[in-house]
Amino acid sequence: MKKAKGGNFFVKHKFALSISIFAFGLILILSIVSYSPRDEANLLSLSEIGKIFTGDELVRIKLERTKNWLGFFGAKLSFLFLNYLFGYSSIFIGLILVILGVALFLDKLSKSILKFSFYLLVFSFLLSIFLGNLKLIFGTDEFRVEVCGGVGIYLADILTKLFGEIGSMILLLFVFFIFIGFVVEVNFYDFAAKASDSLLGLWSKLKQPQKVKQANIKAVKQVELKNAKGTEIVITTPEKKDFEKVEPQRSKPSKIQPGAVKDVSVRKIDFKLPPVELLEESDEETIADEEELNQNAEILRKKLANFDIEVEKISITPGPVVTLYEIVPAADVKVREIVSLADDIALALAARGIRVIAPMPGKGTVGIEIPNKKPSIVRIRSVIESPEFKNFEGILPIAMGKTITGEVYCDDLAKMPHLLIGGATGSGKSVGINTIIVSLLYKLYPSEVKFVIIDPKKVELVNYRKLANHYLAVCPDVDEDIITTPENAIVVLRSLVLEMNERYEKFSKAGVRNIQDYNEKVKQGKIKSTDEIQHFELPYIVVIIDELADLMLVGSTDVEEPITRLAQLARGVGIHLVVATQRPSVDVITGIIKANFPTRIAYQVASKVDSRTILDMNGAEQLMGSGDMLYLPAGATKPIRIQNAFVSPEEVEKIVDYISSQPGYDRPYELPSIVEKQKVEINTGEDFDELFEEAARLVVRFGQASTSLLQRRLRIGYARAARIMDQLEREGIVGPQIEGNKAREVLIGSENELDEILKKNR
């Protein structure tokens, strides 16, 4: 109760206190500015002050000869500060009082203002000592005590006795230098390094590492408020900074580049990465105004108060689309009580997409994400041009978008190592996939990365077929550059598995463990080609699957098996998967697939069940759509809310046209052929199963072929039946399994035709 009364007393008399502080500071400034050492009022003692009212003639004459703007009071006040404190540096004390009075009157007294006032006081103190040291060195009569004050001359005298006149001056200059550097936050290590570079010349410049991350630091301005109930509200808004233009760190094309033929080196192509001018200029991003933020904070406080939840502090971090309100509840409040009020908070704020984070990772707060009334569009150009993306040192850099605080977020696909994307129709999945592809096109050359694009929708990613001779990897067994049918998708996935196996075989014979070591040794000439294996730098392969559900409907086993094998083993050879689906159910995103995709993105979904299927937690059902997503990095426990960068179809078309207009390779990068692989296996003289001929006659007689049929009729196990079925397929007796568990098509019409085939293989 006493604390509350004290607080009320301060609020009640805040106006008078602020006016008093301001007035005294202004009087001090005016008296020091108009100070004159010739004012005889300065010589009046305290005992003579009373004679002012008795009409003493001598006192009257002294007052008439006083020229200070504030008369006797001003002359005496300035005389005391100038002679007994900091000298003329005391004027900064008056300035400090004026600033504190104004801030207190406007209720803007914050830590930043107090910090500035403290710095100003220290500067006044140091300046007084510096001037005192000058007076002791020169010792002229014109250099009066008023210049440095009693404090300055006293401390300067001590320093002079300890270090001498020159030593004390050097010491003071050094202290001034440290103080100014501390105030403006100078990195003395960088400063010393740059000074060393300038002294040592060009050789030192080449040895000194450049530090580019200093340009990424964003200044933050904090505005602290208090509402009528005493809840502290802190609004944190990022201040815009003009960054210097930084050229992206682009790697140069290799001297030996992979092309259509995989056992010989191909010619070098002259290629330029697309310029940012192909992208639409970003609109100025707007954040919610202070009035809206304060209004939402007050509604939030009142709503929680209705349920007896006391809030001590609310920190507000506005972003381009979503604003984060971090609340510090009272000590006796349970977190689950706040989580259960998510719907009530959304109702009170008339907002959709409310998400409660309880607690915030690494903080003692509860986060509530509330959408802005007027969200901004985050265009991909603002992300591509940012220093964060240009200076990002990832192998496969991806510009994800911007966080709720407006900061650019980038990540490396090579470290994920595979990405699973889920979300409802229209939530932004296809735009997100385009963002991933465009990010890689702006950073990597055709010799460094290839794409395998599977688009069952047939309309979202077809524009990229123009990049066949630059960035695409194709399978010779299919007639599509951009895969649009489930049957071709299964063939391509199997071809990727063969590519993975071939690369591992190369790595094994070269004695390396991953693609980075392999390419580095090839570049250095440490690995030589032989008659059996041609060694050259291998590109990374990014496999894009826009709709997994369509493939799983046709043949879940045939799709799940190669995807699982690639997800488990392919990261070491530079093959990475990006799989998206609009139906995040357990029959599409199976447990095996989820286990091998630790990095996930969830756009807006219809229910909590779908959110848990993707992220293993709720939250995605509360997203706003239109690129609003939750990004869960590998190993993280809490997802990050990001607004996906928007790239329009027109921008994609411009980028594709620019790249396709440049010289490319003669043919696309070819994956291994499944058909050729099967012929090689047959020609190696593989021994057929003893029951092969009996099984062949059995399937021709029945007109259908299935593993279960062979198991029942031949009384063998599943593994042996499956192996016989593969042999029948290689001999052209049965067709491939493309419809899940349905029986295979028998390609032989009669046993006479079968006898001809069997005679050739005997």
Side-chain angles (χ1 to χ4, degrees):
M1 295 298 294
K2 290 182 180 180
K3 185 178 179 180
K5 288 182 179 180
N8 293 334
F9 177 83
F10 176 78
V11 173
K12 186 181 298 183
H13 297 85
K14 182 179 66 176
F15 176 78
L17 183 61
S18 61
I19 293 297
S20 301
I21 295 175
F22 173 81
F24 184 76
L26 183 62
I27 290 172
L28 180 59
I29 293 174
L30 294 177
S31 64
I32 293 176
V33 169
S34 60
Y35 171 79
S36 173
R38 299 185 182 89
D39 288 345
E40 295 190 14
N42 299 336
L43 305 177
L44 285 176
S45 62
L46 296 177
S47 61
E48 292 178 319
I49 294 177
K51 297 180 181 181
I52 297 176
F53 305 102
T54 60
D56 186 271
E57 184 66 18
L58 182 61
V59 174
R60 185 184 61 79
I61 294 174
K62 290 182 178 181
L63 292 177
E64 288 179 353
R65 294 177 180 176
T66 299
K67 303 301 182 183
N68 195 288
W69 294 346
L70 303 182
F72 165 75
F73 179 78
K76 203 65 180 176
L77 181 66
S78 59
F79 179 80
L80 293 174
F81 271 84
L82 294 180
N83 285 272
Y84 296 102
L85 288 179
F86 300 153
Y88 279 109
S89 300
S90 301
I91 196 171
F92 293 111
I93 298 178
L95 181 60
I96 292 172
L97 295 175
V98 169
I99 293 173
L100 293 178
V102 173
L104 187 61
F105 179 78
L106 299 177
D107 200 13
K108 299 290 185 180
L109 189 60
S110 62
K111 292 181 180 179
S112 58
I113 293 179
L114 293 175
K115 188 177 181 180
F116 174 76
S117 301
F118 174 75
Y119 287 156
L120 203 58
L121 181 63
V122 175
F123 176 76
S124 175
F125 175 73
L126 294 176
L127 182 60
S128 174
I129 302 175
F130 181 78
L131 294 174
N133 200 71
L134 289 178
K135 176 174 174 56
L136 293 177
I137 292 175
F138 294 102
T140 59
D141 295 336
E142 290 79 7
F143 211 102
R144 303 175 61 86
V145 179
E146 292 90 342
V147 176
C148 57
V151 174
I153 193 69
Y154 176 74
L155 295 177
D157 182 59
I158 295 176
L159 290 177
T160 303
K161 291 178 180 178
L162 291 175
F163 303 101
E165 294 178 349
I166 298 177
S168 60
M169 183 62 68
I170 294 175
L171 178 63
L172 285 172
L173 290 175
F174 179 75
V175 173
F176 256 116
F177 174 75
I178 296 297
F179 172 73
I180 297 299
F182 179 77
V183 172
V184 299
E185 298 181 355
V186 172
N187 191 322
F188 290 102
Y189 177 80
D190 289 349
F191 182 81
K194 292 179 181 178
S196 175
D197 288 342
S198 62
L199 294 174
L200 296 178
L202 181 61
W203 184 84
S204 296
K205 288 183 180 180
L206 296 176
K207 293 293 183 180
Q208 179 67 29
Q210 298 179 356
K211 297 185 179 295
V212 297
K213 295 185 178 179
Q214 296 296 327
N216 299 339
I217 301 175
K218 293 188 176 180
V220 174
K221 177 180 68 176
Q222 289 193 343
V223 182
E224 297 184 0
L225 305 172
K226 284 195 176 182
N227 60 11
K229 300 296 182 181
T231 302
E232 184 181 1
I233 302 175
V234 181
I235 303 176
T236 304
T237 56
E239 294 181 351
K240 293 184 178 180
K241 280 194 172 185
D242 295 330
F243 294 101
E244 296 182 359
K245 290 187 176 180
V246 183
E247 290 299 324
Q249 300 175 352
R250 297 172 176 172
S251 55
K252 296 181 179 180
S254 308
K255 293 182 179 180
I256 300 177
Q257 303 188 21
V261 184
K262 301 184 64 177
D263 56 350
V264 294
S265 60
V266 296
R267 60 182 174 83
K268 179 181 178 181
I269 63 173
D270 184 16
F271 184 84
K272 294 182 180 180
L273 294 174
V276 294
E277 286 73 21
L278 299 175
L279 304 174
E280 296 183 17
E281 293 187 1
S282 304
D283 301 329
E284 184 177 357
E285 295 180 3
T286 59
I287 60 175
D289 55 20
E290 190 171 322
E291 181 180 356
E292 178 185 343
L293 299 177
N294 289 331
Q295 183 180 2
N296 288 343
E298 183 64 18
I299 293 174
L300 182 61
R301 186 196 62 78
K302 288 182 178 179
K303 193 64 179 178
L304 294 175
N306 292 339
F307 292 92
D308 298 328
I309 297 177
E310 182 182 352
V311 178
E312 296 180 354
K313 180 180 179 180
I314 301 179
S315 299
I316 306 174
T317 306
V321 178
V322 178
T323 298
L324 174 64
Y325 294 77
E326 293 184 66
I327 64 175
V328 179
D332 57 343
V333 175
K334 297 180 180 179
V335 174
R336 64 173 179 269
E337 295 178 1
I338 303 176
V339 176
S340 62
L341 297 177
D343 294 336
D344 297 281
I345 296 173
L347 177 63
L349 293 169
R352 63 187 182 93
I354 299 293
R355 194 170 78 100
V356 179
I357 309 172
M360 292 286 292
K363 299 181 180 180
T365 60
V366 175
I368 301 177
E369 295 174 347
I370 301 176
N372 297 337
K373 294 181 179 178
K374 296 180 180 179
S376 301
I377 297 177
V378 178
R379 294 195 174 273
I380 193 170
R381 179 166 180 172
S382 64
V383 181
I384 295 293
E385 287 184 316
S386 66
E388 290 87 349
F389 181 72
K390 289 181 178 180
N391 301 324
F392 186 74
E393 298 179 353
I395 298 175
L396 298 174
I398 297 176
M400 308 291 292
K402 292 187 178 182
T403 63
I404 59 176
T405 60
E407 298 179 352
V408 173
Y409 192 93
C410 304
D411 210 339
D412 187 5
L413 179 60
K415 294 181 179 179
M416 292 184 183
H418 309 290
L419 180 60
L420 178 63
I421 303 175
T425 303
S427 59
K429 296 188 309 301
S430 297
V431 174
I433 290 176
N434 278 309
T435 301
I436 293 173
I437 298 176
V438 170
S439 301
L440 296 173
L441 293 179
Y442 265 90
K443 291 283 280 188
L444 301 176
Y445 287 88
S447 61
E448 298 172 324
V449 65
K450 301 294 179 182
F451 294 94
V452 174
I453 300 177
I454 300 175
D455 180 20
K457 298 178 182 178
K458 303 181 181 181
V459 294
E460 297 290 349
L461 305 175
V462 291
N463 286 337
Y464 295 107
R465 63 162 57 102
K466 297 180 182 178
L467 306 182
N469 290 0
H470 295 84
Y471 281 102
L472 294 188
V474 300
C475 177
D477 299 332
V478 299
D479 57 354
E480 293 181 310
D481 296 332
I482 303 296
I483 309 302
T484 59
T485 63
E487 294 79 11
N488 287 343
I490 294 172
V491 174
V492 168
L493 290 174
R494 290 180 177 176
S495 179
L496 284 167
V497 173
L498 293 180
E499 173 78 11
M500 176 185 71
N501 294 334
E502 287 186 3
R503 290 191 174 193
Y504 269 122
E505 185 178 353
K506 280 188 175 184
F507 293 177
S508 175
K509 294 186 178 181
V512 297
R513 299 181 60 182
N514 53 56
I515 187 173
Q516 294 99 323
D517 296 341
Y518 178 81
N519 286 341
E520 187 65 26
K521 288 190 175 182
V522 170
K523 188 184 300 183
Q524 296 174 359
K526 295 181 179 180
I527 302 177
K528 303 297 183 180
S529 299
T530 63
D531 295 337
E532 298 179 357
I533 299 179
Q534 294 289 324
H535 292 286
F536 50 84
E537 291 185 52
L538 296 173
Y540 287 84
I541 299 178
V542 178
V543 184
I544 307 288
I545 302 177
D546 190 19
E547 186 49 68
L548 179 63
D550 287 351
L551 303 183
M552 297 292 282
L553 287 175
V554 174
S556 59
T557 304
D558 294 330
V559 172
E560 184 179 6
E561 180 184 353
I563 288 179
T564 303
R565 289 201 63 193
L566 291 171
Q568 289 174 338
L569 303 173
R571 64 174 300 181
V573 298
I575 300 177
H576 302 276
L577 305 178
V578 178
V579 179
T581 179
Q582 66 179 4
R583 191 162 64 87
S585 56
V586 292
D587 58 334
V588 176
I589 305 178
T590 63
I592 298 178
I593 292 179
K594 280 183 62 176
N596 292 284
F597 283 81
T599 306
R600 302 166 194 171
I601 290 178
Y603 292 90
Q604 185 185 38
V605 295
S607 64
K608 295 180 180 180
V609 176
D610 292 342
S611 178
R612 287 194 293 268
T613 303
I614 305 171
L615 300 175
D616 295 326
M617 64 186 72
N618 298 335
E621 75 281 359
Q622 298 291 350
L623 297 177
M624 299 168 54
S626 301
D628 189 17
M629 68 178 182
L630 293 177
Y631 173 61
L632 184 66
T637 57
K638 295 284 185 180
I640 304 170
R641 191 165 186 174
I642 300 175
Q643 179 63 33
N644 198 104
F646 175 74
V647 54
S648 64
E650 293 78 14
E651 292 173 308
V652 172
E653 188 173 356
K654 290 180 182 178
I655 296 171
V656 170
D657 290 341
Y658 178 85
I659 294 176
S660 61
S661 64
Q662 301 187 61
Y665 300 113
D666 296 333
R667 289 186 297 172
Y669 181 90
E670 286 191 357
L671 300 172
S673 171
I674 299 178
V675 176
E676 294 296 329
K677 181 70 174 179
Q678 291 175 350
K679 290 181 179 179
V680 171
E681 290 178 353
I682 294 174
N683 293 333
T684 56
E686 177 188 1
D687 293 333
F688 290 97
D689 193 280
E690 296 177 355
L691 299 176
F692 173 77
E693 183 174 345
E694 184 178 352
R697 296 187 183 280
L698 181 65
V699 296
V700 171
R701 191 179 306 117
F702 276 85
Q704 62 179 3
S706 66
T707 305
S708 59
L709 175 65
L710 298 182
Q711 287 181 263
R712 292 194 311 272
R713 293 292 179 174
L714 301 179
R715 297 180 180 180
I716 58 178
Y718 174 80
R720 187 177 182 183
R723 185 166 58 252
I724 295 175
M725 188 62 68
D726 291 338
Q727 294 173 353
L728 293 173
E729 181 183 349
R730 287 198 298 266
E731 291 300 309
I733 299 174
V734 300
Q737 183 179 1
I738 60 175
E739 297 184 358
N741 296 325
K742 293 183 178 180
R744 302 191 187 204
E745 180 184 3
V746 179
L747 304 178
I748 304 300
S750 64
E751 292 194 24
N752 293 332
E753 187 177 352
L754 176 63
D755 291 336
E756 295 295 329
I757 297 177
L758 295 177
K759 287 180 182 179
K760 295 179 181 179
N761 295 324
R762 287 173 181 171

